[in-house]
Amino acid sequence: MPQTDPFTYNTPKKMTDAELARALRLDAAAEIDAMNLYEAHIDATDNEDAKKVLAFIAKDEKEHYALFVELIRRLDPDQAEEMAAAGPKLDTILSSSSGKVPEEAVEAAAESDSAAGNVEERDLLRRSTVGSLLGQLQD
Amino acid sequence: MPQTDPFTYNTPKKMTDAELARALRLDAAAEIDAMNLYEAHIDATDNEDAKKVLAFIAKDEKEHYALFVELIRRLDPDQAEEMAAAGPKLDTILSSSSGKVPEEAVEAAAESDSAAGNVEERDLLRRSTVGSLLGQLQD
Amino acid sequence: MPQTDPFTYNTPKKMTDAELARALRLDAAAEIDAMNLYEAHIDATDNEDAKKVLAFIAKDEKEHYALFVELIRRLDPDQAEEMAAAGPKLDTILSSSSGKVPEEAVEAAAESDSAAGNVEERDLLRRSTVGSLLGQLQD
Amino acid sequence: MPQTDPFTYNTPKKMTDAELARALRLDAAAEIDAMNLYEAHIDATDNEDAKKVLAFIAKDEKEHYALFVELIRRLDPDQAEEMAAAGPKLDTILSSSSGKVPEEAVEAAAESDSAAGNVEERDLLRRSTVGSLLGQLQD
Amino acid sequence: MPQTDPFTYNTPKKMTDAELARALRLDAAAEIDAMNLYEAHIDATDNEDAKKVLAFIAKDEKEHYALFVELIRRLDPDQAEEMAAAGPKLDTILSSSSGKVPEEAVEAAAESDSAAGNVEERDLLRRSTVGSLLGQLQD
Amino acid sequence: MPQTDPFTYNTPKKMTDAELARALRLDAAAEIDAMNLYEAHIDATDNEDAKKVLAFIAKDEKEHYALFVELIRRLDPDQAEEMAAAGPKLDTILSSSSGKVPEEAVEAAAESDSAAGNVEERDLLRRSTVGSLLGQLQD
Amino acid sequence: MPQTDPFTYNTPKKMTDAELARALRLDAAAEIDAMNLYEAHIDATDNEDAKKVLAFIAKDEKEHYALFVELIRRLDPDQAEEMAAAGPKLDTILSSSSGKVPEEAVEAAAESDSAAGNVEERDLLRRSTVGSLLGQLQD
Amino acid sequence: MPQTDPFTYNTPKKMTDAELARALRLDAAAEIDAMNLYEAHIDATDNEDAKKVLAFIAKDEKEHYALFVELIRRLDPDQAEEMAAAGPKLDTILSSSSGKVPEEAVEAAAESDSAAGNVEERDLLRRSTVGSLLGQLQD
Amino acid sequence: MPQTDPFTYNTPKKMTDAELARALRLDAAAEIDAMNLYEAHIDATDNEDAKKVLAFIAKDEKEHYALFVELIRRLDPDQAEEMAAAGPKLDTILSSSSGKVPEEAVEAAAESDSAAGNVEERDLLRRSTVGSLLGQLQD
Amino acid sequence: MPQTDPFTYNTPKKMTDAELARALRLDAAAEIDAMNLYEAHIDATDNEDAKKVLAFIAKDEKEHYALFVELIRRLDPDQAEEMAAAGPKLDTILSSSSGKVPEEAVEAAAESDSAAGNVEERDLLRRSTVGSLLGQLQD
């Protein structure tokens, strides 16, 4: 018998803006927990009806997650900056031998990519070259 | 620093049907946690943008919850039976003075209601007579 | 030795209506935990006496759960709306190949069903076509 | 975001009898958590509808708790022995000045009571003499 | 490294009577945890010295549990009523085939038993007819 | 004293690809916890040295989070699709009065935006119109 | 609703001797939790009946704790050695100005005390000189 | 991602003496957790360097534990009384066949031992007769 | 009543070297929890005896922490490298206005410092320029 | 469904300096959890892309950890003193046969080392003589 706190969801006070930002990140994390929970259940059952319902809802949680991430991106300039740079940084890490790339190299890649302004083209390329998990995840 | 279990979401084995039924109930409970989390955040902020996004997503979690409840109802005949009887039982409890109605009276109400076949009419009546929380919840 | 919080069940203040709505959902989730706990014990024992007592009580928890769900449905119009639409939505998902139905298709099914007013007939049909878990759950 | 273990309710194996005894005690404890949760909510709301439903269900959890306690009493002779002796022991403790009665005095009271065979009469007496919490609890 | 809350056992305020009732139930549940912990250790060791000490102390926890249950029974009339009726209710459930006895039948059994006033005789009978776990638990 | 599990970080087996996808999402959530922890500490101190170190590290956690989100996006096509559509969906929600936009309207917005191919321009517009939390978060 | 693990008290295997030693220490810690729980409840109530029962039981938990400590002392020579030396070490720490005594000084005190063989006399002296908490604790 | 409470170690107020007594017991329990954690790691590795460091530190935690136990003994007369009586009580339990000695017998042993004043001699005897775990623990 | 896992400290298998490295880091984190727990108690009491004992033991935990950190540094070259560079990096961060120094600047500082070989001199300088918390912490 | 506390990251008040010191230690512990989480995932996957990203980020967490440790060292003189002495103490422990070195010997080693002023030379020697885990950890 765990002790259920009867008042977990009470609202102690209005949040400050900084507290709200943290609350929205927590909301994003809650969506991660939900999609992981449902996909773990999909993995662990052969019941087709359950798999379908779980797949439908897990897809929806990914919409929610994307909405929270987008909202956080708009509200937190530091996070927006890091998201804008994540593509070339990741490319640099993935093209190294061990991943332990010097931080300078990763930053440099982000800056040169930003200078070239080629965000969208890169997106397309990435989709066709990376993806070792795709098969499994598209089931 | 809580200790994060790195392998929480690993899948140990296929679930039996009975384990799946329990997993789906857990999924329903996870939706409750999500909607409570988001509505607590709505309560605790005056930021209109955040309120709108949280309201949109909380509504969607209620769809998910309804889907899980409906699936569970179809898969678990005991639960289906109790759901079919819940309306008149609740009416009996609410029309008593303290709620401590004898179990027999509650069961009798469910049976006579079922015999009369008046499920839908009752639904409409109830909506117009009960609802002390409506104002708050429709905000 | 976990640390037992001696005052978990203290009552800090009267809840607002919105807090009460969340508290009732938490209560519904507590019933889910209880029935899952008892059914897991049923699964894990061959002792007939224990199985009978657990089955009697688990059935009662399903009554409680149904009462909480019904009360929540009456108090939360958004939830009521989603519950009314859950049947045809679930049918649409289950009749698809993978469950990843576009949200529009699911919404459309709910609306056309609602227009036709055939809630009860559908209930009967569903009971006879779905139910791969029934055998297991009726034990 | 807590990490939800997706497989909490999986059944690893059949329990031994000793494990079942512990499981039934855990079930009794779960009922305690439930009644405490619901009574905390009753305390914290003025909503009459919610109070009635919670009172009805909390009463039912007390039936469940009594059933588990009775089953445990029948299955565990040590526990049965302690329950049979609890009345006079408690009387001895309550009639002392600080509660720190020597264990021998408490045991002696239980034995002399048992010799006199007056279990039921004592029950009636106790109900009329003890009960400083009754008013509050009967609300 | 879990984060240890340094002030778990601080006392925020005097409890109301209703809060005290819940606290005493929590105390009863803590005794359950203790006896389960010690009996699990007894099960898992062949060390005779450890087994003896654990058995002595587990027996004492059962005394504590019985004292808490008796105190709760005296303080909570609803619980007392359910405990008085638990014997015949349990008999009814155990003499059924699946445990899923209608609530009315269970209530009726409790009432007729109460009318007959045969509480103590039933206790004796039960002890000789039920008890599939006794062997294991008496070790 | 919480009980510290000494073997939390043991590695039970190689993960399947689906388990790895869930593990990477958990890693993303761990970064959220870290940045929230550090920003809460920044909020709660006036010590300039501590604030600087925490700000430096929190910024780095946002880089990590962006890398995990980007990796997840590449590995999970469903998530990628939802991320591509999140901008116009969010715009639609934010331009509504209560956030409770019909799902169809949100989907339609995403599709028309996708057809117009105007992802980057929209990003710029959004940054200048949304942002009520910016001041607080840029401190 | 926390998730109740239904099988917490299952016994996976016989413990090794070293595992048993750790289990007995855990048992000692469980007694600490129990006495702290009960004394916190005593502190937080004015109900004399409840105070008496809690005081009786808390005293018993202190007996259990003493038994576990004594058993551990006999089974673990390192612990026994440290317990034998704890008196003079504590005296040394308490007679310093800040408690930050060099470890060598503390060790030296233990050794000289041990050489003098004056364990029991010291016990008596200590009781009369230390004890700023006695009043509170003797209630 | 567990949610890390950023302010676990904040100090809400000065403790009362009774709260301090409970805090010191919690500190003793924390030492138990630490020594168990380190000894579990010693058990689970063959790395000699790690084993040595862990053994050195675990020994030190036993010093800490002994200091806390001694301080608690001095501050809590009830605990001191139980510790003084624990030796003969334990002897009585260990010399019985099942450990389920009547409480009176255990109390009597403590009292006669106390009357004889032979605390130290008994200590020596015990060390040479008990100790089935010694071999394992001295590694 | 939390559910106490009776077998938390059981040893499932020998750890691999990588698992041992993680275990030792967990041990370091456990020391952090301990010193935080004890210092929180020091903060929250005016009892001089308790303060002295807690200060003595907290100092010892800092020795343990230093030993674990040193062992980890020797065993994990990546960690050693980061520790060697932490001084100048921290200086760079502290001498900036907001802490959000570009990663390149921080890395450059570490490299130039390393080239100059002036580790120890810097240590002395730092001690005299930083330290706004010293007063508080030296109590 | 665990209950997600919606307001974990709210900021109750400014911390005192002593609370800040504890908060920074908690931050250091959070970095330990993060690196352990990521390295556990590296261990449990053969996916080269995931391994590279996790290795890059885990390296960064070690930078963060080193920064927190360095900051704590500067702010807490007791910790600084213990860190300065950890090298020779560890050497003494590792060169013993069982690790259970008398505390005096360990202290003496630290003092003589400090007198000789040979901190840096020792560092180099250690790196070449210790390191049984290096191979594994450098992967």
Side-chain angles (χ1 to χ4, degrees), chain C residues 40-123:
Chain C
H41 287 166
I42 292 173
D43 262 22
T45 185
D46 291 324
N47 182 292
E48 286 306 315
D49 286 351
K51 275 170 126 63
K52 286 176 190 172
V53 178
L54 288 163
F56 176 81
I57 294 177
K59 181 71 160 51
D60 236 17
E61 307 299 6
K62 290 176 191 182
E63 180 200 60
H64 299 174
Y65 181 64
L67 287 169
F68 280 126
V69 169
E70 175 64 11
L71 182 61
I72 290 164
R73 193 186 66 75
R74 294 188 194 186
L75 295 174
D76 179 350
D78 282 348
Q79 188 64 71
E81 185 186 314
E82 294 297 349
M83 283 182 169
K89 284 186 178 181
L90 189 55
D91 291 340
T92 306
I93 294 166
L94 294 181
S95 62
S96 73
S97 62
S98 73
K100 291 187 191 169
V101 192
E103 185 71 36
E104 297 93 308
V106 166
E107 295 288 343
E111 276 150 33
S112 92
D113 180 89
S114 168
N118 53 4
V119 171
E120 262 172 283
E121 188 184 356
R122 196 190 53 238
D123 266 15

Side-chain angles (χ1 to χ4, degrees), chain J residues 1-33:
Chain J
M1 182 206 76
Q3 295 169 261
T4 308
D5 174 355
F7 302 109
T8 304
Y9 304 107
N10 274 6
T11 304
K13 54 151 205 133
K14 291 285 174 184
M15 293 183 278
T16 65
D17 282 0
E19 288 170 340
L20 174 59
R22 297 198 286 273
L24 292 170
R25 289 189 201 117
L26 175 62
D27 296 337
E31 295 291 341
I32 286 174
D33 184 51

Side-chain angles (χ1 to χ4, degrees), chain B residues 63 74 89 120 126, chain C residues 63 74 82 89 120 126:
Chain B
E63 181 200 60
R74 295 188 192 185
K89 285 186 176 180
E120 262 171 283
R126 272 191 314 230
Chain C
E63 180 200 60
R74 294 188 194 186
E82 294 297 349
K89 284 186 178 181
E120 262 172 283
R126 273 191 312 229

Side-chain angles (χ1 to χ4, degrees), chain H residues 70-100:
Chain H
E70 175 65 12
L71 181 61
I72 290 163
R73 194 185 65 76
R74 295 188 191 185
L75 294 174
D76 179 352
D78 282 348
Q79 189 64 71
E81 185 185 315
E82 294 298 348
M83 283 182 169
K89 285 186 177 182
L90 189 56
D91 291 339
T92 307
I93 293 166
L94 294 181
S95 62
S96 73
S97 62
S98 73
K100 292 188 191 169

Side-chain angles (χ1 to χ4, degrees), chain F residues 9-90:
Chain F
Y9 303 107
N10 274 7
T11 304
K13 55 149 204 135
K14 291 286 173 181
M15 292 183 279
T16 65
D17 282 0
E19 288 170 341
L20 174 59
R22 296 198 288 272
L24 292 170
R25 288 190 201 116
L26 175 62
D27 296 337
E31 294 292 340
I32 286 174
D33 184 52
M35 70 182 79
N36 274 1
L37 175 66
Y38 302 150
E39 292 196 355
H41 287 166
I42 291 173
D43 262 21
T45 186
D46 291 325
N47 181 292
E48 287 305 316
D49 286 351
K51 274 170 128 61
K52 286 176 190 172
V53 177
L54 288 163
F56 175 81
I57 293 177
K59 181 70 158 52
D60 235 18
E61 307 298 6
K62 290 176 190 181
E63 180 200 61
H64 299 174
Y65 181 62
L67 287 170
F68 280 126
V69 168
E70 175 66 11
L71 182 62
I72 290 163
R73 194 186 67 75
R74 294 188 192 186
L75 296 174
D76 179 350
D78 282 348
Q79 190 62 72
E81 185 185 316
E82 294 297 350
M83 283 182 168
K89 284 185 177 182
L90 188 56

Side-chain angles (χ1 to χ4, degrees), chain A:
Chain A
M1 183 205 76
Q3 295 169 260
T4 307
D5 175 357
F7 303 108
T8 304
Y9 304 107
N10 273 7
T11 303
K13 54 152 205 134
K14 291 285 174 184
M15 293 184 278
T16 64
D17 281 1
E19 288 170 341
L20 173 60
R22 296 198 286 272
L24 292 170
R25 287 189 201 118
L26 175 61
D27 296 338
E31 294 293 340
I32 286 174
D33 184 50
M35 69 182 80
N36 274 1
L37 176 65
Y38 302 150
E39 293 196 354
H41 287 166
I42 291 173
D43 262 23
T45 186
D46 292 323
N47 181 292
E48 286 306 315
D49 286 351
K51 275 171 127 62
K52 286 177 190 171
V53 177
L54 288 164
F56 176 81
I57 293 177
K59 181 71 160 51
D60 236 18
E61 306 300 7
K62 290 176 189 179
E63 180 200 59
H64 299 174
Y65 181 64
L67 287 170
F68 280 126
V69 168
E70 175 65 11
L71 182 61
I72 290 163
R73 193 186 66 75
R74 294 188 193 186
L75 294 173
D76 179 350
D78 282 348
Q79 188 64 70
E81 185 185 315
E82 294 297 348
M83 283 182 169
K89 285 187 177 180
L90 189 55
D91 290 340
T92 306
I93 294 166
L94 294 181
S95 62
S96 73
S97 62
S98 74
K100 290 187 192 169
V101 192
E103 186 70 37
E104 297 93 309
V106 166
E107 296 288 344
E111 277 151 32
S112 91
D113 179 87
S114 167
N118 51 6
V119 171
E120 265 173 278
E121 188 184 358
R122 196 189 54 239
D123 266 15
L124 295 175
L125 288 173
R126 273 189 313 228
R127 261 186 210 125
S128 56
T129 55
V130 182
S132 53
L133 300 190
L134 288 184
Q136 178 82 11
L137 286 161
Q138 279 171 334
D139 289 355

Side-chain angles (χ1 to χ4, degrees), chain H residues 24-113:
Chain H
L24 291 169
R25 289 190 200 116
L26 174 61
D27 296 338
E31 295 292 340
I32 285 174
D33 184 51
M35 70 183 78
N36 274 1
L37 175 66
Y38 303 150
E39 292 196 356
H41 287 167
I42 291 172
D43 263 20
T45 186
D46 292 324
N47 182 292
E48 286 306 315
D49 286 350
K51 274 170 127 65
K52 287 177 188 171
V53 177
L54 289 163
F56 175 82
I57 294 176
K59 180 71 160 50
D60 235 18
E61 307 299 6
K62 289 175 191 181
E63 180 200 61
H64 300 174
Y65 181 64
L67 287 170
F68 280 125
V69 169
E70 175 65 12
L71 181 61
I72 290 163
R73 194 185 65 76
R74 295 188 191 185
L75 294 174
D76 179 352
D78 282 348
Q79 189 64 71
E81 185 185 315
E82 294 298 348
M83 283 182 169
K89 285 186 177 182
L90 189 56
D91 291 339
T92 307
I93 293 166
L94 294 181
S95 62
S96 73
S97 62
S98 73
K100 292 188 191 169
V101 192
E103 186 71 35
E104 298 92 309
V106 166
E107 296 288 343
E111 276 150 32
S112 91
D113 180 89

